[in-house]
Amino acid sequence: MTDVPTTTKADWTSDQEVRWCPGCGDYSILTAVQLLMPELGVRREDTVFVSGIGCAARFPYYMNTYGMHGIHGRAPALATGLAMARPELHVWVVGGDGDMLSIGGNHLLHALRRNVNLNILLFNNQIYGLTKGQYSPTSEIGKVTKSTPAGSIDEPFNPISVALGAEASFVARTHDMDRQHMMDMFRRAHDFPGASFVEVFQNCNVFNDGAFGAITKKDKRASMLIHLEHGQPIRFGENNEKGVVINPQGSAEVVDVADVGESALLVHDETRQDPSLAFALSRVSAGPFEPTPIGVYRAVERSEYAAEASKQLAMAQDQSGPGDLEALLHSRPTWEVS
């Protein structure tokens, strides 16, 4: 195969008019992806973006690659089939919190637990934007919307906790106000051999404006965003005066470093096989109004689904021959398996 040609952002940008609301956080995510793609050393014709339904699902139209705009919630299932049939492709899955965590929740969980080689980006704006402002699976309790005029009584999903509960191999979080951090997380996701899940805090400035402002505004980030760095004690704050420890009950909590000492702080280990500490970190914050970890929570290599399925197929062919599909289709309605 010849060398991958040098490309620019323009090469990865389609000729389609971008039709999101002015000021939508999706623009910054799209730009981050389009800027990243030339750095990954991949071909456009070997790259596929698959989406479901929702504002985020327009993403494939704006990438100058192959793509598929699927049906509601089924993007992980469609992408799984593609990754199984064409394991050499770079397959990205894009969807919103409503698309992936409501009707698509089951498909997402199984793609993660199977460890299919997919790069899954979940845009979380805590609202249904495309259908004009109904509460979503990540909306906070008490959220007043057109579908919850008295306030939502549903306990919201924490997408990171959901992914870790499915024992996803790679789990990360970023936000739409930091292009470089997004690019770093997307690069890590792409380079990981298996199912990668990245939650992106994304502002819907029309139906849920400022949902993440308490932690992502420039003057709030130092005191509210906890950057996870592998092998480093978890510290944050204007002067690194805050930290995270595991308390006697096994929960992660924020403390003053001066009160506990540097040695008491949790040292982040994204490669830890047991996901319990990563899960504890995902519960540090009750919502995007308290100090919240961002970065890679977990990156644990394990067998990739398509590769293992290919081994089984090869073994079956060695034992029984390549098979004959036409003969099978025209065979009797019953057969014996020995």
Side-chain angles (χ1 to χ4, degrees), residues 147-159:
S147 55
T148 52
S152 171
I153 59 174
D154 291 9
E155 194 71 41
F157 273 137
N158 177 326

PDB file of all heavy atoms in Angstrom, residues 147-159:
ATOM      1  N   SER A 147     -41.894  18.693  27.864  1.00  0.00           N
ATOM      2  CA  SER A 147     -42.412  17.366  28.218  1.00  0.00           C
ATOM      3  C   SER A 147     -42.416  17.121  29.725  1.00  0.00           C
ATOM      4  O   SER A 147     -42.922  16.107  30.183  1.00  0.00           O
ATOM      5  CB  SER A 147     -41.589  16.276  27.508  1.00  0.00           C
ATOM      6  OG  SER A 147     -40.217  16.427  27.800  1.00  0.00           O
ATOM      7  N   THR A 148     -41.825  18.036  30.496  1.00  0.00           N
ATOM      8  CA  THR A 148     -41.849  17.943  31.969  1.00  0.00           C
ATOM      9  C   THR A 148     -42.164  19.323  32.537  1.00  0.00           C
ATOM     10  O   THR A 148     -41.326  19.959  33.177  1.00  0.00           O
ATOM     11  CB  THR A 148     -40.493  17.445  32.515  1.00  0.00           C
ATOM     12  OG1 THR A 148     -39.430  18.250  31.973  1.00  0.00           O
ATOM     13  CG2 THR A 148     -40.255  15.990  32.168  1.00  0.00           C
ATOM     14  N   PRO A 149     -43.389  19.817  32.319  1.00  0.00           N
ATOM     15  CA  PRO A 149     -43.725  21.180  32.759  1.00  0.00           C
ATOM     16  C   PRO A 149     -43.676  21.352  34.268  1.00  0.00           C
ATOM     17  O   PRO A 149     -43.499  22.477  34.755  1.00  0.00           O
ATOM     18  CB  PRO A 149     -45.143  21.381  32.216  1.00  0.00           C
ATOM     19  CG  PRO A 149     -45.688  20.000  32.031  1.00  0.00           C
ATOM     20  CD  PRO A 149     -44.516  19.167  31.627  1.00  0.00           C
ATOM     21  N   ALA A 150     -43.812  20.264  35.023  1.00  0.00           N
ATOM     22  CA  ALA A 150     -43.735  20.341  36.479  1.00  0.00           C
ATOM     23  C   ALA A 150     -42.352  19.979  36.991  1.00  0.00           C
ATOM     24  O   ALA A 150     -42.133  19.905  38.203  1.00  0.00           O
ATOM     25  CB  ALA A 150     -44.790  19.427  37.115  1.00  0.00           C
ATOM     26  N   GLY A 151     -41.424  19.743  36.075  1.00  0.00           N
ATOM     27  CA  GLY A 151     -40.067  19.354  36.457  1.00  0.00           C
ATOM     28  C   GLY A 151     -39.864  17.858  36.352  1.00  0.00           C
ATOM     29  O   GLY A 151     -40.732  17.069  36.758  1.00  0.00           O
ATOM     30  N   SER A 152     -38.740  17.458  35.809  1.00  0.00           N
ATOM     31  CA  SER A 152     -38.446  16.032  35.646  1.00  0.00           C
ATOM     32  C   SER A 152     -38.291  15.348  37.003  1.00  0.00           C
ATOM     33  O   SER A 152     -37.676  15.889  37.919  1.00  0.00           O
ATOM     34  CB  SER A 152     -37.159  15.854  34.844  1.00  0.00           C
ATOM     35  OG  SER A 152     -36.746  14.501  34.841  1.00  0.00           O
ATOM     36  N   ILE A 153     -38.840  14.155  37.112  1.00  0.00           N
ATOM     37  CA  ILE A 153     -38.668  13.351  38.331  1.00  0.00           C
ATOM     38  C   ILE A 153     -37.766  12.142  38.060  1.00  0.00           C
ATOM     39  O   ILE A 153     -37.555  11.300  38.932  1.00  0.00           O
ATOM     40  CB  ILE A 153     -40.024  12.869  38.885  1.00  0.00           C
ATOM     41  CG1 ILE A 153     -40.774  12.032  37.843  1.00  0.00           C
ATOM     42  CG2 ILE A 153     -40.877  14.044  39.346  1.00  0.00           C
ATOM     43  CD1 ILE A 153     -42.053  11.400  38.371  1.00  0.00           C
ATOM     44  N   ASP A 154     -37.210  12.079  36.835  1.00  0.00           N
ATOM     45  CA  ASP A 154     -36.342  10.956  36.462  1.00  0.00           C
ATOM     46  C   ASP A 154     -34.926  11.179  36.979  1.00  0.00           C
ATOM     47  O   ASP A 154     -34.371  12.268  36.828  1.00  0.00           O
ATOM     48  CB  ASP A 154     -36.274  10.811  34.940  1.00  0.00           C
ATOM     49  CG  ASP A 154     -37.583  10.341  34.330  1.00  0.00           C
ATOM     50  OD1 ASP A 154     -38.588  10.296  35.058  1.00  0.00           O
ATOM     51  OD2 ASP A 154     -37.586  10.040  33.123  1.00  0.00           O
ATOM     52  N   GLU A 155     -34.355  10.140  37.554  1.00  0.00           N
ATOM     53  CA  GLU A 155     -32.941  10.193  37.933  1.00  0.00           C
ATOM     54  C   GLU A 155     -32.105  10.165  36.660  1.00  0.00           C
ATOM     55  O   GLU A 155     -32.271   9.282  35.825  1.00  0.00           O
ATOM     56  CB  GLU A 155     -32.608   8.986  38.811  1.00  0.00           C
ATOM     57  CG  GLU A 155     -31.293   9.068  39.541  1.00  0.00           C
ATOM     58  CD  GLU A 155     -31.268  10.076  40.665  1.00  0.00           C
ATOM     59  OE1 GLU A 155     -32.261  10.167  41.409  1.00  0.00           O
ATOM     60  OE2 GLU A 155     -30.243  10.768  40.788  1.00  0.00           O
ATOM     61  N   PRO A 156     -31.189  11.121  36.441  1.00  0.00           N
ATOM     62  CA  PRO A 156     -30.448  11.156  35.177  1.00  0.00           C
ATOM     63  C   PRO A 156     -29.342  10.112  35.116  1.00  0.00           C
ATOM     64  O   PRO A 156     -28.799   9.697  36.139  1.00  0.00           O
ATOM     65  CB  PRO A 156     -29.854  12.566  35.164  1.00  0.00           C
ATOM     66  CG  PRO A 156     -29.690  12.909  36.613  1.00  0.00           C
ATOM     67  CD  PRO A 156     -30.860  12.269  37.314  1.00  0.00           C
ATOM     68  N   PHE A 157     -29.023   9.698  33.899  1.00  0.00           N
ATOM     69  CA  PHE A 157     -27.848   8.870  33.666  1.00  0.00           C
ATOM     70  C   PHE A 157     -26.583   9.719  33.808  1.00  0.00           C
ATOM     71  O   PHE A 157     -26.561  10.894  33.421  1.00  0.00           O
ATOM     72  CB  PHE A 157     -27.851   8.296  32.240  1.00  0.00           C
ATOM     73  CG  PHE A 157     -28.589   6.997  32.092  1.00  0.00           C
ATOM     74  CD1 PHE A 157     -29.429   6.794  31.000  1.00  0.00           C
ATOM     75  CD2 PHE A 157     -28.425   5.966  32.995  1.00  0.00           C
ATOM     76  CE1 PHE A 157     -30.094   5.598  30.828  1.00  0.00           C
ATOM     77  CE2 PHE A 157     -29.092   4.763  32.838  1.00  0.00           C
ATOM     78  CZ  PHE A 157     -29.924   4.582  31.748  1.00  0.00           C
ATOM     79  N   ASN A 158     -25.535   9.100  34.330  1.00  0.00           N
ATOM     80  CA  ASN A 158     -24.177   9.635  34.237  1.00  0.00           C
ATOM     81  C   ASN A 158     -23.499   8.814  33.141  1.00  0.00           C
ATOM     82  O   ASN A 158     -23.196   7.638  33.354  1.00  0.00           O
ATOM     83  CB  ASN A 158     -23.459   9.467  35.579  1.00  0.00           C
ATOM     84  CG  ASN A 158     -22.019   9.928  35.556  1.00  0.00           C
ATOM     85  OD1 ASN A 158     -21.322   9.813  34.555  1.00  0.00           O
ATOM     86  ND2 ASN A 158     -21.547  10.434  36.679  1.00  0.00           N
ATOM     87  N   PRO A 159     -23.283   9.379  31.945  1.00  0.00           N
ATOM     88  CA  PRO A 159     -22.772   8.573  30.829  1.00  0.00           C
ATOM     89  C   PRO A 159     -21.458   7.860  31.126  1.00  0.00           C
ATOM     90  O   PRO A 159     -21.250   6.729  30.674  1.00  0.00           O
ATOM     91  CB  PRO A 159     -22.607   9.601  29.703  1.00  0.00           C
ATOM     92  CG  PRO A 159     -23.610  10.652  30.020  1.00  0.00           C
ATOM     93  CD  PRO A 159     -23.604  10.762  31.518  1.00  0.00           C
TER      94      PRO A 159
END
